[in-house]
Amino acid sequence: MQEEARKGNIGIFDSGIGGVTVLREIIKILPYENYIYISDSKNNPYGDKKEEKIIERCEEIFRFLLEKNCKAIVIACNTASSIAVNYLRDKYKNIPIIAIEPAYKMVYDYSYDKETLVMATKGTIKSEKFNLLYEKYDNHKTILLECIGLADAIEEGNEYRIKKYLEKNLGEYKGKVENVVLGCTHYSLIKEEIKKILGENIRFFDGARRLAIHLEEVLEKNNLINDSKENGKIEFIDTAIEVEKREKNEKRFFKLLGGK
Ligand code: DGL
């Protein structure tokens, strides 16, 4: 029975391709697992949606992943985690749920005395969960920036829009911050572009690596590590209605998965 469970899939989802930055870290540590990645691009962005809508979408995705024989589910979206994880953990008690959160505690641990910019969606910054984290680890030198529309531009892969967005919204922080918390999984895809505005010496904080370590610990604790010695499969499912969009996203996803 347990042997069967160990062979189950790991479900992972985001509002689009952003969660690839999380899966990339996970497969470095857990290459022998099989993954099913849901890119909910049909409903992107989550960042400015109502809480009820996000919870409803997360539940639909959860039900789908459970039917696909998932032994654990990773929420690779800060917005969905911030808003829905407590509800989901309460409702789905039999499955380990591992959720990303803005790496603000990492700033507290490694760079407490420095000026810090937290970039995240409006949904994350307004959430109760993030505010508890913020109050607990506040270094009193932190700016919280709701990056409305940025994840959307990244999802679209629109380099011009991303550049203009960053120039307009980050320019004023040049020379004023040293730490940047990438509080949305999409933002880890544009580190170079952010550096161009804020400077080469910016220190990024991103929760993906920490999540991957935690996932391994949780699987171990529950005796759920796949003992296969062959690299696992990765299935990509995009929710877009248009076939071309789905195909384009899939191609981009696998290309990014192989990147740094
Ligand atoms: N990638 C997501 C996050 O980490 C959501 C972006 C969005 O859909 O607004 O918050």
Side-chain angles (χ1 to χ4, degrees), residues 101-129:
E101 69 176 13
Y104 193 56
K105 179 179 182 299
M106 246 164 110
V107 169
Y108 180 88
D109 290 341
Y110 300 109
S111 195
Y112 183 78
D113 56 334
K114 301 283 192 307
E115 315 286 339
T116 301
L117 180 69
V118 177
M119 296 173 67
T121 65
K122 181 173 158 200
T124 298
I125 290 189
K126 292 263 179 293
S127 71
E128 194 187 337
K129 189 164 181 288

Side-chain angles (χ1 to χ4, degrees), residues 10 22-33 35 208-217 219-220 225-226:
I10 296 177
V22 178
L23 185 57
R24 206 143 76 176
E25 292 303 320
I26 294 177
I27 55 178
K28 284 183 196 160
I29 301 185
L30 295 163
Y32 307 129
E33 302 291 339
Y35 299 92
R209 170 96 187 146
R210 183 70 207 101
L211 178 142
I213 295 169
H214 181 53
L215 172 63
E216 186 185 31
E217 287 163 359
L219 293 181
E220 247 159 25
I225 298 265
N226 191 335

